[in-house]
Amino acid sequence: MPNSRPPKRSIVLGAGPAGLTAGLLLARRGARPLVLEADSQVGGLARTVVRDGYRFDLGGHRFFTKSAEVEALWHEVLGDELLERPRLSRIHWRGRFIEYPLALGDVVRKVGPGELARCGASYARASLTPRRGEAETFEDWVTARFGRRLFELFFRSYTEKVWGVPTSEIRAEWAAQRIRDLSFSRAVRAAITGDGGEVRSLIERFLYPRLGPGQMWEAMAAEIESLGGEVRTGAPVERLRIGDHLHSVEVGGESIAAGGVISSLPLRATVEMASPGVAPETLAAARGLHYRDFITVALIVDGAEPFPDNWIYVHEPGVEVGRIQNFRAWSPAMVPEAGRSCLGLEYFCFKTDPIWSRPDAELIELATAEIARLGLVDRERVVGGHVVRVPAAYPIYDSDYSERVATIRAWLDRIPNLQQVGRNGLHRYNNSDHSMLTAIRAVENQLDGAGHDIWAVNADSVYHEEERPGEDAADPEQPYLRPPRPPESGELDDERERVAQSIA
């Protein structure tokens, strides 16, 4: 009798950077994958939204990486449409802009010699009583390395605005992943001499698609389909039928027989969709994972460009906005009209917070009032606005997340044809290049039996923006104490910048 069973397909769940990378590499090797995306647009957090001809990111997404594989893929996909752009970002602190990278004269003028002396004394006390190996929280980790004064001035308020929880409840692993090899003394030396020591700064320029990061993901989706694959948007996964392996994926009332499955769905969603249901402890672990949500309010501003930066961090406690993007500075093609700018004001929240459910008109008014209060744009120059809400944008490293992830991973390890990739797929605050690299390794596992540990990608607490002698770095950047970057946000993520701002 002929086999009446439907053929099994290579399936990719989610069409963000990780999912589309997996789909593209599968398609290039003849696998004809099916990529399923719940949203109507590909790109996930890294997509580019277009409203009235204005293009804006959900967070700014620089393209930089130490992975030669990832950078080569970017150039293969976009070619000349991938621009090299100058980079400028600053902190807005106590009504002043602080330059980054550090310039000693600017720091002394803006922060003042008295405050610098207090920071130095606080750092000295921390250095004399090192407890770095004992740090369990973000607050402990930063304070042990830079002193209490620097922590209070440049880390606490911004971090708590971004994450919505006290720094005493954020795990030290997050700081270790996002702040690496930062040195107070090196920052001072760099500010005085312009030399970062053995670490060479390459922060002045980055890659960026001419029409925003969404151009990359849209080009990937088009290539997948040209090679015989399928990218299906508006197709939320409803159920994962799992026995000794993942048998089928249910979407839109259709049951699709599964071959290899690469999923960038949030870990919580993957567990909750499993049928039959998982053990109570696994379900509890999944439901205990937490995410930070995100709102972008894009303001259309008439007249001269308000500031030259690609983005600025807002450390002012009197406003809710955390970061402001200037999309014309990312690429002039993002703004369709001469004499106007598009600014993205970013608000970090939970869906349960009142701000999430406020009407768009109220959010536009809030953003207009806050940018005027900061002294950046007179409110009469704001001629329009748009609002985009992004749920589950950033995985939170709270006190129990690592144990919960370990419980879920033990369950996933028993499903041989399912691999989780990407930021939310691994509940790890990866940049887009790291997310793409997890997808590359997953495809090698599926097609070549390579045996890569996907969970080990970007798990060594290294922030890949540094180049040391003898290292191969495609576009590294030395992060002298930058503020915790939301959510590259966060990233690509972002972004979203990394998490520390260097002040000496």
Side-chain angles (χ1 to χ4, degrees):
M1 290 181 61
N3 189 347
S4 60
R5 292 181 179 177
K8 294 181 178 180
R9 301 192 66 175
S10 289
I11 302 174
V12 177
L13 308 181
L20 287 169
T21 299
L24 179 59
L25 297 184
L26 288 167
R28 285 182 174 182
R29 296 185 61 178
R32 296 176 179 264
L34 170 63
V35 181
L36 299 173
E37 169 57 44
D39 202 275
S40 61
Q41 182 180 0
V42 300
L45 179 64
R47 68 186 183 270
T48 300
V49 177
V50 183
R51 301 280 176 84
D52 296 337
Y54 289 85
R55 309 178 70 89
F56 52 93
D57 296 3
L58 306 179
H61 292 83
R62 289 181 304 144
F63 284 58
F64 60 86
T65 186
K66 282 186 69 176
S67 168
E69 295 166 278
V70 171
E71 184 166 21
L73 186 58
W74 290 340
H75 287 284
E76 289 169 15
V77 172
L78 281 191
D80 292 342
E81 288 291 283
L82 191 61
L83 308 178
E84 185 178 82
R85 299 295 299 154
R87 173 207 183 270
L88 173 64
S89 66
R90 292 177 292 174
I91 294 175
H92 195 274
W93 179 76
R94 296 184 178 178
R96 311 161 192 164
F97 280 112
I98 296 179
E99 294 180 13
Y100 175 79
L102 293 179
L104 184 63
D106 179 70
V107 171
V108 172
R109 284 194 306 273
K110 305 293 176 56
V111 178
E115 187 61 75
L116 285 176
R118 286 189 286 272
C119 289
S122 176
Y123 168 74
R125 286 193 296 273
S127 299
L128 292 173
T129 56
R131 295 185 298 276
R132 298 181 182 184
E134 304 171 11
E136 294 185 359
T137 70
F138 177 95
E139 182 171 331
D140 293 340
W141 197 97
V142 174
T143 300
R145 283 157 177 77
F146 308 121
R148 171 62 58 174
R149 188 72 183 179
L150 273 171
F151 168 74
E152 294 290 349
L153 287 179
F154 292 104
F155 290 85
R156 182 194 291 277
S157 63
Y158 187 80
T159 303
E160 293 184 351
K161 182 184 290 188
V162 167
W163 294 103
V165 295
T167 51
S168 59
E169 295 180 16
I170 300 174
R171 289 290 291 265
E173 290 96 316
W174 186 80
Q177 182 184 348
R178 309 301 288 188
I179 311 173
R180 184 199 180 226
D181 284 350
L182 300 181
S183 163
F184 188 99
S185 59
R186 187 193 300 157
V188 172
R189 184 169 67 251
I192 295 173
T193 68
D195 178 14
E198 68 168 340
V199 179
R200 180 163 62 90
S201 172
L202 294 178
I203 62 175
E204 291 84 7
R205 307 188 75 80
F206 58 86
L207 299 175
Y208 191 74
R210 184 177 65 88
L211 298 176
Q215 185 178 10
M216 178 73 73
W217 319 125
E218 290 157 11
M220 282 189 172
E223 185 175 343
I224 291 168
E225 298 205 314
S226 74
L227 294 171
E230 179 184 357
V231 178
R232 193 181 300 179
T233 56
V237 175
E238 297 157 354
R239 195 174 305 277
L240 304 174
R241 294 287 183 184
I242 298 173
D244 58 348
H245 64 283
L246 201 168
H247 293 284
S248 62
V249 174
E250 295 185 5
V251 56
E254 178 185 2
S255 182
I256 304 168
V261 179
I262 296 175
S263 169
S264 61
L265 299 179
L267 277 180
R268 185 170 64 194
T270 298
V271 172
E272 291 181 332
M273 290 177 186
S275 178
V278 302
E281 59 270 20
T282 305
L283 184 60
R287 290 178 173 171
L289 293 177
H290 300 293
Y291 303 84
R292 190 68 162 156
D293 307 305
F294 173 76
I295 299 172
T296 287
V297 182
L299 297 181
I300 312 304
V301 176
D302 206 10
E305 191 171 57
F307 50 84
D309 310 58
N310 306 101
W311 68 93
I312 60 175
Y313 296 103
V314 182
H315 281 239
E316 312 294 344
V319 294
E320 295 183 64
V321 64
R323 190 173 59 179
I324 304 175
Q325 306 288 339
N326 177 8
F327 294 114
R328 183 181 285 282
W330 288 85
S331 169
M334 300 286 279
V335 180
E337 299 177 82
R340 285 191 171 179
S341 301
C342 181
L343 306 180
L345 281 74
E346 300 173 0
Y347 294 87
F348 308 100
C349 59
F350 297 110
K351 286 192 288 186
T352 53
D353 292 341
I355 191 172
W356 181 265
S357 56
R358 290 177 68 174
D360 288 3
E362 289 187 14
L363 291 173
I364 293 168
E365 171 56 30
L366 170 66
T368 300
E370 291 200 334
I371 203 164
R373 189 176 307 142
L374 291 168
L376 298 174
V377 175
D378 293 337
R379 62 179 304 127
E380 58 269 17
R381 291 181 57 194
V382 177
V383 296
H386 306 283
V387 176
V388 178
R389 296 168 179 81
V390 184
Y394 313 116
I396 292 179
Y397 285 35
D398 58 19
S399 59
D400 298 319
Y401 94 96
S402 58
E403 292 80 6
R404 297 182 191 280
V405 169
T407 297
I408 298 166
R409 182 178 176 183
W411 169 71
L412 287 167
D413 286 345
R414 299 194 291 270
I415 309 171
N417 65 329
L418 172 62
Q419 298 181 86
Q420 289 283 132
V421 296
R423 175 183 285 185
N424 281 347
L426 300 173
H427 203 81
R428 179 173 296 136
Y429 185 23
N430 285 330
N431 266 7
S432 293
D433 63 325
H434 297 133
S435 295
M436 293 175 71
L437 193 57
T438 64
I440 293 171
R441 298 292 175 256
V443 171
E444 291 170 347
N445 286 347
Q446 181 174 315
L447 299 184
D448 304 326
H452 297 299
D453 180 3
I454 304 301
W455 300 83
V457 176
N458 193 31
D460 59 356
S461 299
V462 174
Y463 174 42
H464 297 244
E465 281 201 63
E466 293 181 356
E467 181 177 17
R468 294 175 181 273
E471 288 191 356
D472 176 23
D475 185 22
E477 176 172 324
Q478 167 60 26
Y480 290 127
L481 282 172
R482 271 171 294 168
R485 176 182 79 86
E488 170 155 40
S489 75
E491 210 298 287
L492 282 168
D493 235 116
D494 342 330
E495 292 251 278
R496 314 153 11 137
E497 291 282 2
R498 286 315 143 162
V499 325
Q501 171 70 39
S502 153
I503 217 57

